[in-house]
Amino acid sequence: MNTSIQSLLAERDKTVNWHPYTQMKTAGDVIPIIKGKGVYLYDDEGKKYIDAVSSWWVTLHGHAHPYIAKRVFEQLNTLEQVIFAGFTHEPAVQLSENLLKLLPDNQKKVFYSDNGSTAVESALKMCIQYAYNLGKEKTKILAFRNAYHGDTFGAMSVSGRSVWTKPFGSMLFEVIFIDTPNAENLESLKLQIKDLAEETACFIYEPLVQGAAGMLMYEAEHLDELMKFCRSKEILMIQDEVFTGFGRTGKLFAANHLTEMPDIMCFSKGLTGGTMPMGITTCSQDIFNAFLSDDKYKTLFHGHSFTANPLACKAALASMELLLQEETLAAIDRISRQHSDFAKILSAYTDVENVRQTGTILAFEYKTDQNTSYFNEIGKILYDKFLQRGIIMRPLGNVMYLVPPYCITAEELDFIYRNIFEVLESFKN
């Protein structure tokens, strides 16, 4: 496709579209993508880019995976949508059955929604109404500082306060924010929670990795200890695995790194292999039972038009089949080991700091004279330099990270690693 057609598409886009997390006045032209295959995306001039961030962390098995496409196509010719109030269908039942088998033993029920934010909203409403249905006055919510759980109002409320949430500050409900746990602060965190326990409905957290905060990582053993304490104080726990689920941490779920079990879990992103939007909230039998009543007012009055959409359910089933294959699990292990080896080399590099890795997630910070921040100006420069080299990375300011699809080869990963060093070296010239 020639340049005039490319520029025309970019201009048409600028006329009608408003892109996420983008200052439209200063943003450059978008890149028209016409197809994807495996780890690569192709623009309309034929240039290919390695998708090193899995298109916002969703594409597990690569783009346009033929098996997922086949399964969705079959479903599209059978049943594309049905209201999920009063009806059900095979893909939804099978997906719930298959997912629950992989989760902690106490997860017994599945509630469907549309995305990560709505999965979190559902979880928060479950916890608040759980206490209400039992006749308890528990409305406080506990969350980590720097948290990110989504962009809808409830999800924003339990996310760390920042310039992102400032315009809506007076409209967000009160949340108690605590630091992520470590060996030094665990006891003080327990004291803080103890004083609030009787009024606290739930504790929501991103396990092991706080993604949007800059891939901030902390230890499973300390989270376990905090979860155990919350359990002793009858505080419900919401484990947000929207990002960390489906192999990202090196195991199927971050829950597999823990001995304690949450009461509720949230999923999205990689759930359908990046093929279609879907959110899932799972919960324990105890929580579900609190809504069983002859009193209709104890119903969970929550739902979405596309709840348990058959096409999305089928995509998720296909993605889960691929995830559980030996070759995929081996690829997750290989990527984790490659990242670990690269992290050791990168740590010795003088212009970077805070190199960190959990499973297939690798992150580090480029040193600048500005603070580490999403708004660090180096981010746009880094983004453009990698695009020129055919690599899609989306730095969080000066925080660079890799979250590749599991189909990436060792050679393709090495290509990215080499280019990281070359880009870092380019700043010295």
Short mmCIF file of all heavy atoms in Angstrom, two decimals, residues 96 107 390:
data_model
loop_
_atom_site.label_atom_id
_atom_site.label_comp_id
_atom_site.label_asym_id
_atom_site.label_seq_id
_atom_site.Cartn_x
_atom_site.Cartn_y
_atom_site.Cartn_z
N SER A 96 -16.49 -22.10 32.66
CA SER A 96 -16.51 -22.02 34.12
C SER A 96 -15.96 -23.29 34.74
O SER A 96 -15.15 -23.24 35.68
CB SER A 96 -17.94 -21.76 34.61
OG SER A 96 -18.41 -20.52 34.18
N GLN A 107 -12.47 -21.46 45.16
CA GLN A 107 -13.20 -20.72 44.13
C GLN A 107 -14.25 -21.65 43.52
O GLN A 107 -13.93 -22.67 42.92
CB GLN A 107 -12.24 -20.21 43.06
CG GLN A 107 -11.20 -19.24 43.58
CD GLN A 107 -11.80 -17.98 44.16
OE1 GLN A 107 -12.39 -17.16 43.46
NE2 GLN A 107 -11.68 -17.82 45.48
N GLY A 390 11.58 -1.65 14.60
CA GLY A 390 10.61 -2.71 14.37
C GLY A 390 10.20 -3.44 15.64
O GLY A 390 9.86 -4.62 15.59
#
